Amino acid sequence: MENRNNSLYLILAAIFPISGFIYASLNPKICSYKTLLILFFTFVGLAFLFTTGSDVSRYVEVFQTITKERISLTDYYNSRPSAQQIDYYTIFMTWFLSRLTSNPHVYLGILAFVPTVFLAQNVLYISGKCSDSSRFRFLLLILVLTPNVLFLTHRWWTALQIFLFGMLPYVLDGKMKRLWICLLAVVVHFSFLFPSILLLLYVFLPKKIVLPYLVVFIVTYFVSTLNFDFVSNIINQLLPTNYADRSVMYLSNDGDIAEEWASNILFSLHNFLNLIFTIFVFLRLKIEMKSNDFLRHLLIISLIMASFAQLANITDWGWRYFDLSNFLFMSFFVIIAANQQFYKKLKILYRLSYLFFCFFLVVFVHHLFAVISPTNLFVGNYFTVWLIDEEVSVLEYIKTIL
């Protein structure tokens, strides 16, 4: 009976992807949960409006150009500007998919599918550490939506989820064999060289006491907030010039979604929430953290990655490393909330934070409305997306009405 129900859910999700995602969010313990997530985010990739002048439109333009050419992978790689030849993943995927199809929706759908497979697996891994409850389901939804839907097809998100896919099993369960997968993230996006180095250091660092990592995190938080110029100069001097220039091109927030006021507020609040939660966890759950190895290890790696993100944020190129630390912190919050004993000691803090999480959902909906058309939002699915030819997003449509 359960297999029959799962098949029914999958069929309905193919017809109503958004409804399937909502159902999965309300029932994260069902067997088809991972597949429902993949179906939803892949559909968003298929329906993604690539005429908005964003990076996605540039990807599609290059893709459409190469589909008209008979060119080998080596020739295509050599034809790219030298500064872009480090983007192995994008070059390979663009060339490979251009040999199979000329449809830009298929191209974006597959680009969205790849990171979503790893995202669903990572979320499922965290979910496996939790017992079911309403607060667990709500916070797990926030974790699922942490990757910005505007950048769903970007290789940064792919590299992030691959990195987490290799790192989480090691941090939580000591599975050393999965660590090599983290190196694939560097191939997908070169900027994951730094997190990989930090993860290597983590392997050898002591993990019995949280306090030293917490102190470093607090110090870097205020250094980042106060934005000391001399620290920024030191960090930039430590980087190879070509690396820094390339990082600025890809990780700078100039003209990016981070310039929007709502995203700026969300960004600041998320950092502040991480700080407050961590301090309260240290003060209120000190005994529990000593006896719970996997939870303590998750907190330590979160503090390490967040401390680096705080310092990198001082430069022009490092703000996006918060995507990694925020995902780790959110995973930690989900596991804490799912444990009744832990949750009782932080109940007030969690209740106060729900306003932030609701604001987070509003921003996600805003981003979703910016990349999907009204028709695809309400009646779009895997069968009709090929027939819908709209260039106006839900957000633009609302603006015209107002």
Side-chain angles (χ1 to χ4, degrees):
M1 180 62 71
E2 183 177 355
N3 291 333
R4 181 179 179 182
N5 289 337
N6 288 332
S7 300
L8 179 61
Y9 298 147
L10 297 179
I11 294 174
L12 291 176
I15 301 175
F16 303 107
I18 296 179
S19 298
F21 174 72
I22 294 173
Y23 180 81
S25 301
L26 295 174
N27 302 274
K29 291 295 185 177
I30 60 174
C31 295
S32 55
Y33 175 75
K34 181 172 69 174
T35 306
L36 293 175
L37 291 187
I38 295 173
L39 286 174
F40 169 71
F41 283 109
T42 302
F43 168 74
V44 173
L46 290 171
F48 204 104
L49 292 174
F50 52 84
T51 57
T52 57
S54 62
D55 282 345
V56 175
S57 63
R58 177 168 56 85
Y59 296 160
V60 170
E61 183 179 353
V62 173
F63 170 76
Q64 290 178 320
T65 299
I66 193 177
T67 57
K68 303 173 184 177
E69 302 177 8
R70 298 183 62 181
I71 187 172
S72 67
L73 175 60
T74 303
D75 291 339
Y76 176 60
Y77 174 82
N78 292 330
S79 70
R80 308 306 299 160
S82 58
Q84 296 181 16
Q85 290 182 354
I86 196 173
D87 305 329
Y88 307 113
Y89 175 79
T90 300
I91 290 175
F92 172 76
M93 291 296 286
T94 301
W95 174 84
F96 178 71
L97 295 177
S98 70
R99 303 306 94 185
L100 302 178
T101 180
S102 60
N103 190 316
H105 292 290
V106 175
Y107 171 65
L108 294 179
I110 294 176
L111 290 184
F113 169 79
V114 176
T116 301
V117 170
F118 290 100
L119 168 66
Q121 188 61 48
N122 293 334
V123 171
L124 202 64
Y125 201 82
I126 297 298
S127 176
K129 302 291 182 181
C130 305
S131 57
D132 197 10
S133 66
S134 57
R135 60 180 179 273
F136 157 72
R137 292 192 291 270
F138 176 72
L139 292 174
L140 192 70
L141 171 63
I142 302 298
L143 177 64
V144 170
L145 301 181
T146 298
N148 192 321
V149 70
L150 289 178
F151 308 132
L152 183 62
T153 58
H154 288 39
R155 66 190 179 282
W156 167 267
W157 298 108
T158 305
L160 172 60
Q161 296 306 324
I162 291 175
F163 185 79
L164 290 167
F165 182 74
M167 185 186 72
L168 287 175
Y170 169 71
V171 173
L172 299 180
D173 295 319
K175 297 180 180 179
M176 291 285 293
K177 293 182 179 180
R178 290 281 287 271
L179 280 178
W180 68 269
I181 298 177
C182 297
L183 298 177
L184 294 178
V186 181
V187 177
V188 174
H189 203 291
F190 60 93
S191 61
F192 271 84
L193 174 64
F194 287 129
S196 297
I197 293 174
L198 290 174
L199 181 58
L200 181 62
L201 291 175
Y202 166 84
V203 173
F204 299 101
L205 288 172
K207 307 175 187 66
K208 293 293 184 181
I209 304 176
V210 175
L211 181 59
Y213 304 98
L214 177 60
V215 171
V216 173
F217 172 64
I218 294 174
V219 171
T220 56
Y221 175 85
F222 287 105
V223 168
S224 177
T225 303
L226 297 175
N227 196 11
F228 295 113
D229 291 336
F230 76 91
V231 178
S232 177
N233 294 333
I234 293 174
I235 295 174
N236 280 322
Q237 288 175 4
L238 294 175
L239 290 174
T241 303
N242 292 338
Y243 185 93
D245 292 343
R246 191 64 178 151
S247 297
V248 168
M249 182 183 301
Y250 282 106
L251 301 180
S252 173
N253 57 9
D254 292 341
D256 213 326
I257 189 65
E259 289 292 329
E260 295 184 2
W261 67 268
S263 293
N264 279 328
I265 293 175
L266 187 67
F267 178 80
S268 299
L269 287 177
H270 211 317
N271 291 339
F272 182 71
L273 188 69
N274 293 342
L275 176 68
I276 297 300
F277 254 102
T278 304
I279 293 175
F280 270 80
V281 165
F282 178 77
L283 295 176
R284 299 283 292 165
L285 298 177
K286 186 177 296 186
I287 297 177
E288 289 83 355
M289 294 299 292
K290 286 182 179 179
S291 59
N292 193 315
D293 289 343
F294 88 85
L295 202 56
R296 186 177 66 255
H297 293 170
L298 180 57
L299 177 58
I300 288 175
I301 192 65
S302 301
L303 292 171
I304 291 173
M305 294 300 179
S307 297
F308 170 71
Q310 303 286 7
L311 293 177
N313 186 48
I314 301 174
T315 68
D316 296 327
W317 51 267
W319 68 274
R320 198 169 285 180
Y321 287 110
F322 282 106
D323 298 332
L324 171 58
S325 59
N326 286 343
F327 192 95
L328 291 172
F329 272 124
M330 198 64 228
S331 300
F332 181 76
F333 301 155
V334 170
I335 296 175
I336 292 289
N339 187 301
Q340 182 65 25
Q341 180 184 353
F342 295 167
Y343 176 76
K344 284 181 179 179
K345 295 188 176 184
L346 298 170
K347 182 185 296 184
I348 296 178
L349 185 59
Y350 270 99
R351 288 182 175 178
L352 291 175
S353 67
Y354 284 146
L355 184 61
F356 161 78
F357 293 129
C358 289
F359 178 60
F360 183 96
L361 291 177
V362 171
V363 174
F364 169 80
V365 172
H366 176 272
H367 290 165
L368 179 62
F369 283 4
V371 300
I372 196 169
S373 69
T375 306
N376 272 321
L377 177 66
F378 293 108
V379 298
N381 56 51
Y382 278 86
F383 307 105
T384 63
V385 68
W386 318 105
L387 306 175
I388 298 173
D389 186 20
E390 288 182 318
E391 297 184 358
V392 179
S393 68
V394 175
L395 193 60
E396 289 297 324
Y397 183 76
I398 293 175
K399 289 180 180 179
T400 59
I401 295 177
L402 300 179

